[in-house]
Amino acid sequence: MYVLKKTNIGGLIGSVMIIMIASRLLSLLSSQIYMTTFGTESIYINIYSYAINIPNIIFTSIGTALSTVVIPIYVGHRAVGELDKAKKFADNIITVSTVLTLILVILGICLSPLLVGFTDFTKTEASRSFAVKSLMIVMPVMFFYAWNYIFQGMLQAAGKFWLPAFVSVPSSLIVIAYVVFLSDRFGVTGLLFATIIGLSLQAFILVPPLVKDGYRYRPCFRLGDPDIKKAGSMTVPVLIGVGAYQLNMLFNSTMIAKYDAGMVTILTFVQNISIQLVLAFVYSITAVVYPKLSESAAKNDMNEYKQTLSGILKSVSALLIPITFGFISVRRPLLQFLAAWGKVTPEAVSKAEVFLSLYAIGLIGIGLKEILDRALYSVKNTRISAVNGFVIMAVNIVVSLSLMPFIGAYGIPLAYSAASIVGLCNLLWQLKRKVGSFATGMGKEIVKSIVCAVLMAVAVGGVNAFLDSQNFADSFGVRVIVLIVPAFVGVCVYAVLGYILKIEAVRQYADKLRAKIH
């Protein structure tokens, strides 16, 4: 039996975070490589970006719900030594989810022409046909998503966190290898199949550690099983909440494809830089903390529950706030370094800079929402997150449709950020009603973090202005310098000011660093 000790939470989070963020960076590199090879304005590369996103968006909600309900039930049986029950539950949930996914895949294939009809890919018969075929081809990827989420939940419940954080690496490597060696021969169509092969490996590489842990799959389909009924009762509200949140992404992707089909790839790339990278950071925390919160709630030890939650919220806030201001401050050198290569035009990079700034505004809402959702799930409350998902969706759609007539496609990321912040405020209020006061002093910590981040942004702006005045010749080395120098200055300014203003998380990190140095 695996028990998560207080003494190893920090180390686990740190190691998982490093692996997960490195995996996301590799994924970002793969996107950068195919984007610079094929450009961002080709209708076919934008169809590829749209097609790959759709099954991911559709199934993320189901997958999140699966992993969310698997962990407490699976870890509950393991915690009391009921290993056979845990394995039987795993057999059942894998089989049931596979059958349900088959239904979803068939529906997705049938609805592919309808989804394409909402986009701007229908201008020519060739682009419409390619878009429909692409969607149909990628829909079966949802099988691998289903198994991936369940296997990750089982491994995390068993205390194995590192490989689940590593799952996207093979997929990224396959895409990179394809673009480097075969893209000239097979083009975007080959990229589509290479991506599908890579995504399938995300589930398969998790099988060996499960086997090593003693698990052997045996087909079992019993909908009347008490654990399956319990999982179903927990899954539906989680699915509603997360599904509503994912519908925002579906709405955003479809709107950008309808408003300007040439901006789908660049918008997806910016989402990978901002939202997905931040979520990788947050998921590395929730992967370790969620079982701990579930354990505290199961023991009815609410003091330990609140202490764990408070520490995580304060630490994450102290990091997400400077990340927000940092993205805005270095958006131009960052995107010049990441995107302005090959066939990517200066106009596309300029659009990406605006997208990045607008998405950055909502990062704290996006990140803390994931933590608060897990906090609610751990006390067996899924209704609040479900309702909050609809609140976020409603705000996103209303604000998007209101802003787009005035600022065009830029209304999409701005509305998404506004909806995320509204959802965060609602969850904070609802959780306080559920468990009482928690995270005492968090408001004060956030104010201090904002003050430090604003001063950090001023310092970074000064460094940017100085570097711009030097009129360096454009080269890879220069792009590295004009990105790294202001970023380094920003980190130092925030760290020093945070220590002076006694931001709790900053002081903890500084003390740990000082102890290691000594």
Side-chain angles (χ1 to χ4, degrees):
M1 182 179 68
Y2 176 81
V3 179
L4 189 63
K5 299 178 181 179
K6 292 181 181 179
T7 54
N8 67 2
I9 289 181
L12 274 174
I13 290 176
S15 57
V16 172
M17 186 183 302
I18 291 171
I19 296 171
M20 192 169 286
I21 290 179
S23 300
R24 290 290 184 178
L25 288 174
L26 185 62
S27 177
L28 182 64
L29 176 62
S30 69
S31 299
Q32 179 194 38
I33 289 175
Y34 78 68
M35 190 173 68
T36 54
T37 300
F38 294 104
T40 61
E41 298 178 357
S42 163
I43 190 67
Y44 294 102
I45 195 63
N46 282 287
I47 289 172
Y48 162 83
S49 299
Y50 180 74
I52 289 297
N53 270 338
I54 294 303
N56 183 28
I57 290 170
I58 292 173
F59 205 86
T60 293
S61 54
I62 300 174
T64 302
L66 282 172
S67 62
T68 300
V69 302
V70 164
I71 288 176
I73 297 176
Y74 193 73
V75 78
H77 287 311
R78 290 175 65 99
V80 296
E82 297 175 342
L83 298 182
D84 287 339
K85 283 189 175 182
K87 292 176 181 178
K88 288 179 180 177
F89 167 68
D91 293 337
N92 212 357
I93 197 70
I94 291 172
T95 307
V96 171
S97 65
T98 300
V99 172
L100 294 177
T101 303
L102 174 61
I103 297 172
L104 196 59
V105 168
I106 294 172
L107 284 174
I109 292 173
C110 294
L111 292 175
S112 292
L114 180 63
L115 287 172
V116 172
F118 287 112
T119 70
D120 199 36
F121 301 138
T122 56
K123 285 185 175 181
T124 67
E125 178 58 28
S127 62
R128 189 200 69 80
S129 176
F130 183 73
V132 172
K133 290 178 181 178
S134 297
L135 274 177
M136 289 181 173
I137 290 170
V138 301
M139 286 299 173
V141 165
M142 287 190 279
F143 283 116
F144 306 115
Y145 284 141
W147 300 331
N148 180 22
Y149 278 105
I150 294 173
F151 296 164
Q152 285 193 49
M154 293 170 64
L155 288 170
Q156 289 167 2
K160 302 179 186 298
F161 299 98
W162 292 277
L163 196 56
F166 179 81
V167 290
S168 66
V169 170
S171 176
S172 300
L173 291 176
I174 287 175
V175 169
I176 292 172
Y178 169 79
V179 174
V180 172
F181 297 109
L182 297 172
S183 59
D184 289 342
R185 184 175 180 183
F186 299 107
V188 176
T189 302
L191 177 63
L192 191 70
F193 284 100
T195 303
I196 293 171
I197 294 171
L199 291 173
S200 68
L201 289 180
Q202 292 188 3
F204 293 140
I205 65 171
L206 297 179
V207 173
L210 284 174
V211 172
K212 186 177 180 180
D213 191 51
Y215 176 70
R216 303 291 187 276
Y217 171 69
R218 293 177 176 82
C220 176
F221 188 83
R222 292 185 297 167
L223 293 176
D225 183 83
D227 282 336
I228 292 295
K229 288 183 177 180
K230 183 179 179 181
S233 64
M234 293 173 63
T235 299
V236 172
V238 175
L239 183 58
I240 292 172
V242 181
Y245 198 71
Q246 288 303 311
L247 281 174
N248 279 333
M249 298 302 294
L250 178 60
F251 173 81
N252 292 349
S253 296
T254 303
M255 283 295 100
I256 195 70
K258 184 175 180 62
Y259 186 85
D260 187 345
M263 296 173 70
V264 176
T265 299
I266 201 69
L267 180 72
T268 303
F269 184 72
V270 171
Q271 288 174 346
N272 288 336
I273 295 174
S274 54
I275 297 175
Q276 297 304 323
L277 201 58
V278 166
L279 286 178
F281 158 67
V282 173
Y283 288 158
S284 65
I285 295 174
T286 57
V288 178
V289 172
Y290 179 45
K292 176 62 179 175
L293 291 173
S294 299
E295 180 184 331
S296 299
K299 295 186 300 184
N300 201 29
D301 189 347
M302 297 311 293
N303 287 332
E304 183 180 66
Y305 171 92
K306 292 180 182 180
Q307 184 178 359
T308 301
L309 179 59
S310 174
I312 293 300
L313 288 175
K314 290 179 181 179
S315 297
V316 173
S317 298
L319 289 174
L320 288 183
I321 290 172
I323 287 174
T324 294
F325 284 86
F327 271 137
I328 295 172
S329 301
V330 300
R331 64 189 183 280
R332 186 177 56 79
L334 177 63
L335 286 164
Q336 284 290 324
F337 176 72
L338 292 178
W341 305 98
K343 295 182 180 180
V344 180
T345 63
E347 292 77 14
V349 176
S350 296
K351 292 175 181 178
E353 290 177 20
V354 180
F355 283 143
L356 181 58
S357 297
L358 296 177
Y359 271 129
I361 296 171
L363 291 182
I364 189 168
I366 294 167
L368 294 189
K369 172 196 172 294
E370 295 298 323
I371 296 173
L372 292 171
D373 277 342
R374 300 309 187 281
L376 284 163
Y377 299 154
S378 64
V379 292
K380 304 297 188 296
N381 189 308
T382 54
R383 182 186 61 83
I384 291 176
S385 293
V387 173
N388 190 61
F390 281 111
V391 170
I392 292 173
M393 182 173 64
V395 173
N396 181 59
I397 293 174
V398 171
V399 177
S400 287
L401 296 178
S402 300
L403 292 177
M404 287 180 69
F406 302 100
I407 59 175
Y410 299 131
I412 294 173
L414 183 57
Y416 190 82
S417 292
S420 300
I421 292 173
V422 170
L424 169 63
C425 293
N426 183 44
L427 280 183
L428 286 169
W429 176 60
Q430 293 286 359
L431 185 60
K432 183 177 181 180
R433 292 180 60 191
K434 175 68 179 177
V435 302
S437 296
F438 66 96
T440 304
M442 181 176 169
K444 185 178 179 181
E445 293 285 298
I446 288 177
V447 170
K448 290 190 290 187
S449 294
I450 292 174
V451 170
C452 294
V454 169
L455 295 175
M456 174 198 77
V458 172
V460 171
V463 175
N464 284 334
F466 171 76
L467 293 174
D468 288 341
S469 68
Q470 301 306 302
N471 295 318
F472 294 117
D474 186 29
S475 67
F476 178 82
V478 169
R479 292 191 188 189
V480 171
I481 291 171
V482 298
L483 173 60
I484 296 298
V485 171
F488 178 75
V489 169
V491 170
C492 292
V493 169
Y494 183 82
V496 171
L497 292 175
Y499 195 85
I500 293 172
L501 293 182
K502 299 180 180 180
I503 296 176
E504 187 176 319
V506 174
R507 288 222 158 190
Q508 288 177 354
Y509 294 137
D511 291 342
K512 288 181 180 179
L513 179 61
R514 185 166 52 192
K516 287 186 177 182
I517 291 174
H518 286 305

